[in-house]
Amino acid sequence: MHDRTALTELRIDRFIRERLEPAVYRAHHPLAVSAWEAPGEPVPFEVADAAEYVPFGVGRRWGRPWGTTWFHVEGAVPSEWWQASGELPEGTRAELVIDLGFTAGQSGFQAEALVWDRSGSPLKGVSPFNQAVPSAVDAAGRVDVRVEAASNPDVGSLFTFEPTHLGDRATAGTDPIYVLRTVEIGLRDVIVAELLADALALRGLAAQLDPTSARRAELLEGLDRMIDTVDPDDVAATAAAARAVLLPLLERPAHASAHTLHAVGHAHIDSAWLWPVRETARKVSRTFANVLALMNEDPDVVFASSSAQQFAWVKEYYPALWARLVERVREGRFVPVGGMWVESDTNMVGGEAMARQLLEGKSFFLEEFGIETPEVWLPDSFGYSGALPQIIRASGSKWFLTQKISWNETNRMPHHTFLWEGIDGTRLFTHFPPVDKYNSDVSAEDLAHAQRNFADKGRTNVSLLPYGYGDGGGGPTREMAATIARTGSLEGSPIVEHSTPARFFETAEREYADPEVWAGELYLEFHRGTYTSQLRTKQGNRRSEHLLREAELWAATASVRAGVAYPAATLKRLWQLTLLQQFHDILPGSSIAWVHRDAERNYAAIATELTDIIDESLRVLAGSGDHTLRANAAPHARGAVPALALGSAPAEAPVAPVRVGDDLVLDNGVVRAVIDPRGLIVSLVEVGSGREVVPPGSTAGLFQLHRDTPTQWDAWDIDEHYRRHVIDLVDAESVAIEGDAVVITRRFGDSRLVQRITLFEGSRTLRLSIDVDWHERQKLLKLSVPVDVHTDRAQSEIQFGHIVRPTHTNTSWDAARFETVAHRWVRVAEPDFGVAVTNDSTYGHDITRHARTGGGTVSIVRLSVIRGALFPDPQQDQGEHHLEVGIVVGAQTQDAVTEGYRANLPERVVTGAGVGEVAPLVRVEDASVVIEAVKLAEDGSGDVIVRLYESLGHRAATRVVPGFAASGVIETDLLEREIPAAALVAAGSDGAEIALRPFQLATLRFIRS
């Protein structure tokens, strides 16, 4: 037979494009439009409904950047559409169709609208690929609706990464940016729409099959015959006959070995990104309205949505929508998933904050719906901490889902379904959807990719397909649902079936009883710059986490000891705001300027409120008198003041620098530092052992400036080629003694850096206090600390423990890990000597090994201090910043842990106290066991909750002793529900005996007498 395949394909594609798609609507009828532009921020429906509207013509420009225009749309189906029976033609229905002036960009990244009925109930959202609102036309054919149109600018959905002025209201301009293109009633031909769905499904499938396959030839021949059946001048009249031609092709069942995809409607909605938080609440309303409208049309559609915060917005701002949502949740079709307050970053979020993400998220879903979310759902976060499996299990959840690791630049993960083992040995059933995206449009290409890509063939044959427009919201469409209806069993295609996340995971666990194991972190070989971008946001998060710890500790102590009211509601609100800002495009620094300026204001307000709680609690505990107390919120003693207590102790005493020749020396008998005339540390010695930290020929405390021009994703990425361009900042404007500090001033480019070096009596930590006035762009500032130790690994603090990473590049996995994340400290060491580097502000590090002069190797620890990316915020990090860094000489792991907390929990001075000390509310007898949180129980009972963990990576058995009358103690999960004892060995009125495995996390509930 002659091969006419290429011509047939061209014919099919043109026929679909030029004949079927335009014929979906038989007729169009314009509607009357009037408009009112909200003067500032978005307003409630009631305000907009009462406003004065003026006539507005289709074709006019509307919408300043980030503005809201309300349209009043009125009209009716024209009389000529009605049949004598009073019905519309058989197989048709009337729909409101709106085109706000959509561009070729992505859904969710440009103009959107929510359509309201006149009673104030949301009907449906309108977006670029979802423009019809069937419910806006009533049974009599009338339309009378308000359209809340958001003129959000497209900040960069095509991702060319060019600097933009649109990310800040102050620079975005005021001229209208859209043209109202269409507002009409369309007469939809349902049969033509079904024919179009048939044709698209079969044409898409044919494109994915082997060119030599009989099935592909059969599909193309059938589609060719379908075209012959259709009258191009009267598609509607011949559509049914054309469908009959295709029916046998659609009825051929899938192969018995076909991969099965569990299709779950989804709309990953970034809680902020290229739009502000306030716009996200509206995106959620539009998406949820879309989903609920689709569910009314298609009874099989299931939708999964994460982030309790987003549900909370709907409950607060959209009560009518909330009521409809609740009903679908009860049916099991609208499925809350994930159990977190937001889809947070997991690299930089602190341990207790990670626990609170799950506490707040799961509690919300339990309280509102009675639903225990069994999975954590993080499709888009930028890598996953090795502490997560334990934290997730401790919340009562058992499954984990992401797909982000498919973005790896270098290495491909060997599994899609596996057991993920965390740093404490906890294992978690985990799935990566092999479709490699969380917003599939259910195209044949996506389905075929999932089937081909699935890495665990032969062991299991199911995967999850999250489908629907995402990032900026939108969710599934009726076209996507139509494809699923045709691929439930279709020869040549994977089997696609509507499902829920729980049903998928249960099926996968049954099929794959003994999965492979991946141990340690899930490091994303991409987006490494997110550990550093937007320094103020990162500092705000770090400070808020520690202030919340302090506020809860002292408020709980004041409540138990003095009977004052515990500020539970305020603390909950501030926790939730902090958790919101840990979203995976806020804390990582990858959002527009508006988002980060909001975050900075929020962090300042959080600090003010928490400081007030701390001060009031300490004043109650201290009483009135003439004592001076020091409050130590850290989990380790500080001088004479016990952990978590107040005591009388002298302030830390700094040692005075002395000049020795041309150098300046700081020496406290424990550590001796020598600073040369350039302001660089040329010697740092542990006095007792004589061990030198600084390798021969090296200097510590060296700032290095790199070119920082990522290949793509500016604020997100640090690319390996940054290392090829470096300037060592060795020239100093001044090096001087000021009081008890050596102060070095440097200028470079348009920036200024002031460094104060101090050393305190009895301390083994050399402190570097850094002020930088940063005005560089596309530059990266690193702080280098070379350490004369020979090791092939480094320890980095993460949540509830630390991780050990190689410093060599033996494998491609090692080489790809050239920028890593750590919390308060990192440490490199030989068996008998180590050095830790602590920080109070940043998270990005690179730790490498190099040849040593005279033989062997040395380690170089570098902190990423600050960046100047241009997209999406061209003003990123410009201005003044302050950081604290410590170099801990001769540090054991215990010293690193202790100093990390000390640097981030500075002691507070309470003057005019009436007592000489305030004993800790709870204490632990082993310093390796860290008390991470002390708070009162969420249920208002007054019970004391103590969260603790083993911090050094070895087994620990110890006692936890309450400083108050307790009638008993139980072990709980993160939600403070009793669980079978895993750490608790014995309990009595005098405390609890616990036994912890390495890095084990435990929560104890002390029941108040």
Side-chain angles (χ1 to χ4, degrees):
M1 189 173 77
H2 298 297
D3 184 3
R4 300 184 177 88
T5 300
L7 290 174
T8 301
E9 290 175 326
L10 286 171
R11 184 185 190 218
I12 294 166
D13 293 341
R14 183 171 184 181
F15 181 81
I16 290 172
R17 183 176 65 250
E18 294 186 0
R19 299 296 182 180
L20 291 188
E21 290 177 351
V24 168
Y25 288 102
R26 291 189 186 180
H28 307 267
H29 181 71
L31 296 167
V33 181
S34 55
W36 172 73
E37 185 174 12
E41 284 293 276
V43 299
F45 171 83
E46 294 75 17
V47 174
D49 194 49
E52 184 174 343
Y53 287 70
V54 297
F56 195 94
V58 169
R60 283 184 57 185
R61 300 192 71 84
W62 70 277
R64 68 184 186 280
W66 304 113
T68 303
T69 302
W70 286 77
F71 296 108
H72 182 197
V73 178
E74 295 179 282
V77 170
S79 58
E80 59 266 26
W81 290 8
W82 298 105
Q83 296 181 321
S85 63
E87 301 291 333
L88 293 171
E90 183 178 359
T92 67
R93 73 178 187 186
E95 301 179 335
L96 171 63
V97 180
I98 298 175
D99 183 340
L100 297 170
F102 300 124
T103 70
Q106 299 180 46
S107 179
F109 291 78
Q110 50 179 293
E112 303 173 66
L114 181 62
V115 179
W116 301 71
D117 69 19
R118 292 305 299 277
S119 70
S121 179
L123 296 177
K124 186 178 174 295
V126 173
S127 53
F129 310 115
N130 197 348
Q131 300 177 23
V133 189
S135 57
V137 184
D138 67 19
R142 293 186 299 269
V143 175
D144 186 4
V145 296
R146 301 285 197 206
V147 179
E148 181 187 8
S151 48
N152 300 331
D154 188 338
V155 175
S157 70
L158 299 180
F159 300 111
T160 53
F161 311 107
E162 297 162 355
T164 175
H165 62 281
L166 293 171
D168 190 330
R169 279 181 301 181
T171 58
T174 58
D175 293 337
I177 56 176
Y178 292 103
V179 174
L180 186 63
R181 193 173 292 137
T182 302
V183 182
E184 64 188 18
I185 293 179
L187 186 62
R188 182 178 178 83
D189 190 313
V190 176
I191 297 173
V192 172
E194 292 293 314
L195 173 60
L196 175 61
D198 294 343
L200 289 171
L202 295 175
R203 175 67 182 97
L205 175 59
Q208 298 305 313
L209 297 176
D210 188 314
T212 65
S213 74
R215 175 62 167 162
R216 183 171 186 269
E218 176 187 56
L219 294 177
L220 294 177
E221 193 276 336
L223 287 163
D224 199 34
R225 285 191 294 110
M226 177 272 293
I227 296 173
D228 292 339
T229 306
V230 174
D231 181 349
D233 296 320
D234 195 354
V235 175
T238 51
R243 292 202 73 201
V245 171
L246 298 181
L247 183 60
L249 301 175
L250 291 162
E251 287 181 335
R252 287 192 182 275
H255 296 301
S257 60
H259 187 74
T260 298
L261 290 160
H262 286 242
V264 178
H266 188 233
H268 174 71
I269 305 176
D270 287 308
S271 291
W273 182 25
L274 304 182
W275 47 85
V277 168
R278 68 90 154 142
E279 192 57 29
T280 307
R282 299 205 295 175
K283 285 178 175 289
V284 172
S285 74
R286 295 187 283 257
T287 298
F288 285 12
N290 282 344
V291 170
L292 294 169
L294 180 59
M295 287 180 174
N296 291 338
E297 294 185 32
D298 190 328
D300 295 323
V301 168
V302 175
F303 179 76
S305 185
S306 73
S307 303
Q309 171 68 87
Q310 296 185 1
F311 283 78
W313 282 328
V314 174
K315 182 181 180 184
E316 181 177 1
Y317 300 124
Y318 302 92
L321 190 63
W322 176 257
R324 303 202 320 258
L325 181 156
V326 169
E327 288 303 311
R328 292 302 189 191
V329 171
R330 288 173 180 160
E331 293 175 4
R333 295 180 62 199
F334 200 116
V335 185
V337 293
M340 295 175 67
W341 191 247
V342 296
E343 290 185 10
S344 77
D345 173 80
T346 77
N347 286 313
M348 294 170 284
V349 173
E352 186 58 23
M354 202 76 247
R356 298 304 176 91
Q357 286 284 355
L358 288 153
L359 167 62
E360 293 295 336
K362 294 195 67 156
S363 296
F364 181 91
F365 291 138
L366 281 166
E367 291 163 8
E368 297 297 336
F369 306 123
I371 289 176
E372 174 88 31
T373 48
E375 72 290 294
V376 165
W377 185 277
L378 290 174
D380 192 35
S381 299
F382 307 147
Y384 304 94
S385 164
L388 266 186
Q390 176 178 208
I391 300 171
I392 292 169
R393 282 286 193 180
S395 75
S397 294
K398 56 184 177 180
W399 300 318
F400 180 69
L401 179 139
T402 183
Q403 70 81 39
K404 197 65 175 185
I405 304 301
S406 69
W407 286 45
N408 272 7
E409 290 177 312
T410 305
N411 298 284
R412 183 176 184 268
M413 281 290 293
H415 317 296
H416 282 105
T417 301
F418 59 99
L419 293 178
W420 178 22
E421 181 178 298
I423 58 172
D424 74 312
T426 296
R427 292 181 174 182
L428 189 70
F429 193 84
T430 297
H431 181 65
F432 294 171
V435 70
D436 283 348
K437 56 177 66 172
Y438 48 75
N439 53 2
S440 170
D441 60 0
V442 203
S443 66
E445 181 181 9
D446 281 358
L447 304 185
H449 176 78
Q451 181 167 257
R452 288 192 296 261
N453 186 46
F454 187 55
D456 301 287
K457 297 182 183 75
R459 304 289 298 276
T460 179
N461 202 27
V462 296
S463 68
L464 191 139
L465 176 72
Y467 74 96
Y469 292 114
D471 287 331
T477 66
R478 59 189 177 189
E479 290 78 16
M480 297 173 192
T483 302
I484 295 171
R486 286 155 177 79
T487 51
S489 182
L490 180 63
E491 183 187 351
S493 169
I495 295 168
V496 186
E497 56 187 45
H498 291 288
S499 188
T500 66
R503 182 174 160 230
F504 161 73
F505 275 108
E506 289 163 355
T507 302
E509 281 190 312
R510 283 196 305 271
E511 281 198 10
Y512 202 6
D514 187 23
E516 301 278 356
V517 177
W518 179 273
E521 67 182 333
L522 295 170
Y523 176 85
L524 179 63
E525 297 172 356
F526 208 38
H527 291 1
R528 303 168 183 89
T530 58
Y531 314 148
T532 306
S533 290
Q534 297 286 358
L535 177 57
R536 293 185 188 91
T537 297
K538 289 172 169 54
Q539 290 179 317
N541 175 73
R542 180 79 69 87
R543 189 66 179 134
S544 295
E545 288 181 343
H546 289 81
L547 284 169
L548 282 159
R549 171 202 176 88
E550 285 191 84
E552 286 185 335
L553 168 67
W554 300 129
T557 305
S559 179
V560 172
R561 294 277 170 74
V564 300
Y566 185 72
T570 299
L571 289 168
K572 188 179 190 71
R573 173 173 53 80
L574 297 177
W575 262 117
Q576 289 179 353
L577 182 54
T578 300
L579 299 178
L580 167 60
Q581 295 180 159
Q582 291 173 340
F583 177 72
H584 67 252
D585 275 306
I586 302 179
L587 179 54
S590 47
S591 288
I592 57 174
W594 188 343
V595 172
H596 292 290
R597 302 304 89 78
D598 279 354
E600 290 160 22
R601 283 189 291 271
N602 287 336
Y603 285 132
I606 289 168
T608 297
E609 286 199 70
L610 290 174
T611 300
D612 287 345
I613 291 172
I614 292 166
D615 290 345
E616 291 167 9
S617 299
L618 291 175
R619 178 52 56 198
V620 167
L621 291 167
S624 298
D626 55 7
H627 292 279
T628 295
L629 297 181
R630 298 189 177 276
N632 176 22
H636 307 96
R638 185 176 270 139
V641 183
L644 315 180
L646 288 84
S648 299
E652 290 184 293
V655 299
V658 297
R659 189 172 294 279
V660 179
D662 292 333
D663 298 328
L664 299 175
V665 176
L666 290 162
D667 189 342
N668 64 359
V670 179
V671 170
R672 184 175 187 270
V674 179
I675 302 157
D676 76 2
R678 300 170 297 171
L680 300 174
I681 302 164
V682 293
S683 176
L684 185 58
V685 174
E686 183 185 50
V687 174
S689 66
R691 183 68 184 260
E692 173 66 71
V693 169
V694 181
S698 299
T699 58
L702 171 67
F703 288 92
Q704 297 177 298
L705 190 67
H706 292 269
R707 181 191 298 178
D708 184 16
T709 54
T711 304
Q712 53 183 337
W713 299 101
D714 291 30
W716 293 258
D717 287 352
I718 289 176
D719 289 347
E720 189 275 339
H721 56 70
Y722 85 89
R723 289 176 168 169
R724 304 173 197 169
H725 306 276
V726 59
I727 299 172
D728 291 343
L729 302 182
V730 296
D731 295 331
E733 183 177 272
S734 64
V735 179
I737 296 174
E738 294 184 11
D740 296 311
V742 176
V743 180
I744 304 105
T745 302
R746 305 183 193 277
R747 293 188 184 274
F748 56 96
D750 295 320
S751 302
R752 181 172 183 266
L753 190 153
V754 178
Q755 181 182 13
R756 299 175 61 85
I757 303 177
T758 55
L759 182 65
F760 287 78
E761 293 288 354
S763 174
R764 57 179 59 249
T765 301
L766 187 70
R767 302 184 191 180
L768 314 180
S769 181
I770 302 161
D771 290 286
V772 58
D773 188 8
W774 178 253
H775 296 283
E776 308 307 303
R777 288 178 168 83
Q778 295 190 303
K779 296 291 190 293
L780 167 65
L781 184 67
K782 289 262 188 179
L783 173 62
S784 175
V785 181
V787 180
D788 196 2
V789 298
H790 172 66
T791 181
D792 62 356
R793 67 199 64 190
Q795 297 167 282
S796 298
E797 189 194 31
I798 61 173
Q799 301 93 341
F800 303 123
H802 63 263
I803 194 166
V804 176
R805 301 183 179 106
T807 57
H808 57 66
T809 55
N810 283 358
T811 70
S812 61
W813 296 87
D814 302 330
R817 205 181 293 109
F818 59 79
E819 181 82 2
T820 57
V821 68
H823 286 201
R824 290 166 290 220
W825 59 268
V826 297
R827 177 176 176 266
V828 289
E830 294 172 359
D832 62 343
F833 183 82
V835 172
V837 179
T838 64
N839 77 88
D840 76 338
S841 293
T842 190
Y843 299 88
H845 297 74
D846 72 291
I847 306 174
T848 51
R849 54 195 260 135
H850 303 264
R852 180 183 186 276
T853 301
T857 67
V858 299
S859 300
I860 298 182
V861 176
R862 297 202 306 166
L863 285 77
S864 297
V865 177
I866 197 167
R867 304 182 64 207
L870 296 180
F871 180 84
D873 175 9
Q875 298 299 318
Q876 176 185 306
D877 283 325
Q878 300 299 297
E880 297 181 353
H881 307 267
H882 177 82
L883 308 87
E884 296 285 337
V885 173
I887 304 173
V888 190
V889 178
Q892 298 299 315
T893 304
Q894 180 68 69
D895 299 314
V897 173
T898 300
E899 282 298 298
Y901 277 102
R902 183 207 60 75
N904 286 270
L905 286 164
E907 65 180 8
R908 295 179 183 272
V909 178
V910 182
T911 59
V915 296
E917 63 179 23
V918 177
L921 193 61
V922 63
R923 61 182 176 86
V924 65
E925 295 181 346
D926 184 337
S928 73
V929 176
V930 171
I931 294 178
E932 179 70 3
V934 178
K935 61 185 285 289
L936 295 193
E938 294 289 309
D939 61 9
S941 63
D943 291 348
V944 175
I945 303 296
V946 179
R947 190 134 39 241
L948 44 79
Y949 69 99
E950 196 289 313
S951 65
L952 305 185
H954 61 58
R955 295 183 180 272
T958 189
R959 294 177 70 241
V960 184
V961 182
F964 56 92
S967 60
V969 58
I970 59 173
E971 191 168 348
T972 75
D973 65 8
L974 296 181
L975 276 66
E976 301 169 11
R977 304 172 294 192
E978 185 172 7
I979 59 172
L984 185 62
V985 175
S989 59
D990 60 344
E993 302 284 342
I994 61 170
L996 300 176
R997 64 180 181 273
F999 301 129
Q1000 184 177 353
L1001 168 68
T1003 303
L1004 303 178
R1005 181 180 187 129
F1006 286 88
I1007 300 166
R1008 299 270 298 282
S1009 298

